[in-house]
């Protein structure tokens, strides 16, 4: 273990930083931060390349493919998130290439669970029209009923699912 | 008068860098730390999110109060009851199973986590599945629509400062409950434990350690 690993910020400090980042985003753009919107655009773009006829005719992807689906604010934002994440991880000695998993889970098991969890989250974010960032965090900060409804669902299902998945992580 | 409504490339990059750096610094590039919230041993997710929501909400309130931000100037999402609750449930279950939500998966990828790639591929696949099934889902997707951009003030009839005060109180309670449970279940995962990888015993396990030792 490297002694040069810097601790995480305390939750209060990290929460203030995140809140100020979100506030600045609102003041500049008029909307909050997001994430799932970018992956929706990636899915639309991939579908447009792999199955253009189907994707153009699809009721959900079709409108995205009227123009280049990746030419959007959220794409730049996610590039920024990757840069910010690398800056934070590398400067603190916290960057580490690994499959992060519970002590009882094999790497393959972890990767399959990550894929399945990602699929659930991907479907869920499309139903909700946003994810933890866009709806929970940004919606919550505007005191939107939709944001708090999403957060209630998120935490209820998280606690229930986690109860059955304890072995995967501990 | 703000917002300036600039959603260009520079604004996106700038907001993203702040967002990614803050999430990484909070420890949200680690799926073990993130999911430990649901095992009650690490309350960073609730503490950080609650703080961020309260800080930004108060900031927006004050900015509007002093005339810096135009009233109703920022985007407020609209309720679609069934779809938003179901979506929240699915994202929560996916988070518990996959270890991330969409934003934290990006931060984890930036921190070198290879499992984040699998999560992202899963998200793209899930999104395509949703699109494929969109036609029959459409009625449900638009069901239970609430008033445009409905806020807690609209819902309850209470003034904004009362809602904010209640949120500050609730955040305070969440910190107190979090500290209590963190103490009970071995405490939050540290950066050193996360970087050390799986070999390090997770704090949630410390309770079961003595029992195993006795058996041996």
């Amino acid at each position: 273990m490297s002694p040069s690993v810097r601790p995480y910020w305390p939750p209060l400090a990290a929460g203030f930083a995140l809140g100020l980042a979100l506030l600045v985003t609102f003041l500049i753009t008029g909307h909050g931060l997001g994430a799932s919107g970018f992956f929706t655009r990636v899915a639309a773009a991939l579908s447009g390349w792999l199955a253009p006829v189907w994707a153009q005719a699809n009721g959900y992807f079709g409108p995205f493919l009227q123009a280049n689906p990746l030419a959007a604010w959220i794409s730049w934002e996610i590039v920024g998130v990757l840069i910010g994440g690398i800056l934070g991880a590398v400067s603190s000695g916290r960057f580490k290439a690994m499959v992060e998993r519970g002590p009882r889970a094999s790497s393959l098991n972890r990767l399959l669970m990550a894929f399945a969890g990602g699929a659930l989250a991907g479907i869920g974010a499309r139903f909700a029209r946003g994810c933890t960032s866009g709806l929970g965090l940004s919606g919550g900060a505007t005191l939107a009923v939709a944001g708090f409804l999403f957060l209630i669902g998120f935490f209820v299902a998280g606690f229930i699912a986690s109860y059955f998945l304890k072995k995967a992580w501990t | 008068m703000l917002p300036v409504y600039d959603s260009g490339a520079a604004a996106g990059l700038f907001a993203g860098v702040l967002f990614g750096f803050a999430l990484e610094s909070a420890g949200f590039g680690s799926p073990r730390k993130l999911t430990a919230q649901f095992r009650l041993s690490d309350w960073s997710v609730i503490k950080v999110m609650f703080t961020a929501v309260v800080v930004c909400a108060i900031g927006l309130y004050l900015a509007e109060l002093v005339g810096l931000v135009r009233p109703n100037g920022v985007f407020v999402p609209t309720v679609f009851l069934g779809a938003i609750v179901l979506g929240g449930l699915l994202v929560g279950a996916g988070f518990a199973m996959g270890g991330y939500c969409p934003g934290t998966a990006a931060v984890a990828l930036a921190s070198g986590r290879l499992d984040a790639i699998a999560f992202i591929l899963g998200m793209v696949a899930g999104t395509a599945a949703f699109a494929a099934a969109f036609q029959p889902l459409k009625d449900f997707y638009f069901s239970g629509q609430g008033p445009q951009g409905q806020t807690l003030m609209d819902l309850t009839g209470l003034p904004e400062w009362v809602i904010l005060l209640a949120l500050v109180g609730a955040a305070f309670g969440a910190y107190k409950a979090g500290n209590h449970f963190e103490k009970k279940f071995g405490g939050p995962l540290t950066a050193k434990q996360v970087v050390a990888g799986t070999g390090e015993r997770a704090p949630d396990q410390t309770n079961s350690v003595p029992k195993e030792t006795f058996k041996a």
Side-chain angles (χ1 to χ4, degrees):
Chain A
M1 190 192 311
S2 159
S4 60
V5 175
R6 236 185 311 134
Y8 297 124
W9 289 349
L12 187 64
F16 258 90
L18 185 57
L20 292 176
L22 183 57
L23 180 61
V24 167
T25 305
F26 270 116
L27 297 183
I28 296 174
T29 67
H31 54 75
L33 295 159
S36 65
F38 171 71
F39 299 106
T40 303
R41 289 169 178 279
V42 170
L46 281 175
S47 303
W49 291 327
L50 297 174
V53 178
W54 174 80
Q56 291 283 355
N58 181 266
Y60 197 78
F61 282 157
F64 284 105
L65 293 166
Q66 297 296 313
N68 177 3
L70 295 175
W73 181 86
I74 195 109
S75 302
W76 291 106
E77 191 235 62
I78 291 296
V79 172
V81 166
L82 292 173
I83 295 171
I86 290 171
L87 284 176
V90 170
S91 68
S92 61
R94 296 190 290 251
F95 183 93
K96 189 167 181 203
M98 64 168 156
V99 174
E100 196 179 332
R101 57 198 162 90
R104 280 185 276 191
S106 69
S107 286
L108 178 66
N109 192 298
R110 166 70 187 118
L111 291 174
L112 291 174
M113 291 281 271
F115 184 87
L120 282 181
I123 296 169
R126 282 316 90 218
F127 271 111
R129 300 156 169 83
C131 59
T132 332
S133 328
L135 206 51
L137 191 65
S138 305
T142 61
L143 306 176
V145 177
F148 288 93
L149 272 177
F150 175 89
L151 285 173
I152 290 169
F154 176 82
F155 280 105
V156 165
F159 276 111
I160 293 172
S162 179
Y163 178 81
F164 295 102
L165 292 163
K166 228 170 181 168
K167 277 196 176 151
W169 294 106
T170 60
Chain B
M1 194 85 154
L2 295 170
V4 289
Y5 299 111
D6 175 354
S7 289
L13 275 174
F14 177 67
V17 168
L18 296 182
F19 189 30
F21 193 87
L23 287 178
E24 198 286 326
S25 300
F28 289 1
S30 163
R32 281 185 298 159
K33 188 171 179 70
L34 288 165
T35 55
Q37 173 65 64
F38 291 128
R39 299 186 295 275
L40 302 179
S41 60
D42 189 329
W43 282 58
S44 299
V45 170
I46 285 184
K47 286 178 176 176
V48 170
M49 277 197 71
F50 221 138
T51 307
V53 164
V54 167
V55 164
C56 182
I58 292 177
L60 284 173
Y61 172 71
L62 293 178
E64 199 180 307
L65 203 67
V66 300
L68 194 64
V69 164
R70 77 188 75 224
N72 304 316
V74 298
F75 171 74
V76 181
T78 298
V79 169
F80 292 85
L81 192 59
I84 286 191
V85 171
L86 177 67
L89 291 169
L90 287 172
V91 176
F95 181 97
M97 182 180 279
Y100 303 113
C101 57
T104 48
V107 174
L109 177 64
S111 315
R113 300 310 188 272
L114 304 172
D115 44 298
I117 298 172
F119 188 91
I120 288 169
L121 291 176
M123 269 196 297
V124 172
T127 304
F130 175 87
F134 186 61
Q135 208 49 44
L137 291 173
K138 225 170 174 176
D139 283 345
F140 177 74
Y141 183 73
F142 289 109
S143 69
Q145 181 170 2
Q148 184 75 31
Q150 186 188 34
T151 62
L152 293 177
M153 291 77 80
D154 301 329
L155 183 74
T156 60
L158 294 168
E160 191 164 353
W161 66 268
V162 173
I163 302 277
L164 290 172
L165 217 58
L167 276 181
V168 171
F172 211 77
Y175 268 81
K176 283 210 84 129
N179 293 340
H180 169 80
F181 282 108
E182 283 178 347
K183 217 175 258 172
K184 198 169 155 186
F185 293 123
L189 265 178
T190 65
K192 270 191 177 176
Q193 287 170 321
V194 165
V195 172
T198 326
E200 191 86 352
R201 202 167 272 279
D204 342 24
Q205 280 189 297
T206 46
N207 276 352
S208 63
V209 172
K211 275 183 228 156
E212 282 164 15
T213 321
F214 279 129
K215 263 183 211 162

